[in-house]
Amino acid sequence: MTQETHVIELGQSAPDFTLEGVGPQGETQVESTSLKGKPYLLYFYPRASTPGCTTQACDLRDHLAELRIPGGEGLTVLGVSPDALGALEMFLTKQALSFTLLSDHEHKLAEAYGVWVLKKLYGREFMGIERSSFLIDAQGRIAAFKRKVSPAKHVAWVQEALAQL
């Protein structure tokens, strides 16, 4: 197995994307160009409805009202995984998530962010998502990022990153 890792650096333009997803109002399509003008959080997680991903998503849900950008506006949160729309819809509904989940089933966005990586589990190697989070500023640049995010500590990192905007 080979992997080509893209290097993401602070201040660089965030990779553009158009992805299908599921939000509180149902199926949607999100384009990065429509997000410019206001900061947003793009977080990558391996698989919907797994323990770590559920912990991370529910913690974000529970603290979403506290995640404010300078000026007091709420932060747009987008979760990205290689799951199909059906799995995302079940996850969003079961956990009553109040933000949008995007399907990157071909992992193109994950590759652009360098989070589609070789993983090892119980002696087996496979390609998958490295749990990572990216805060994109109003100009569409990478303002902060964290790789190998701890699901239980993710919200604290987001709050710290927002304070630096």
Side-chain angles (χ1 to χ4, degrees), residues 20-74:
E20 300 295 321
V22 178
Q25 278 72 46
E27 288 191 19
T28 187
Q29 178 175 296
V30 176
E31 296 181 24
S32 56
T33 54
S34 70
L35 299 168
K36 288 193 178 153
K38 141 177 183 179
Y40 64 95
L41 178 72
L42 193 64
Y43 83 94
F44 292 85
Y45 62 98
R47 191 165 153 215
S49 299
T50 57
C53 297
T54 300
T55 296
Q56 184 177 23
C58 290
D59 201 26
L60 280 166
R61 175 201 65 205
D62 294 347
H63 293 90
L64 193 59
E66 301 164 26
L67 300 178
R68 314 300 268 160
I69 58 178
E73 201 173 334

Side-chain angles (χ1 to χ4, degrees), residues 104-123:
D104 186 24
H105 63 277
E106 294 178 355
H107 47 81
K108 289 181 180 179
L109 187 60
E111 288 177 25
Y113 274 89
V115 301
W116 185 253
V117 299
L118 183 64
K119 299 173 87 172
K120 295 180 184 182
L121 182 65
Y122 303 118

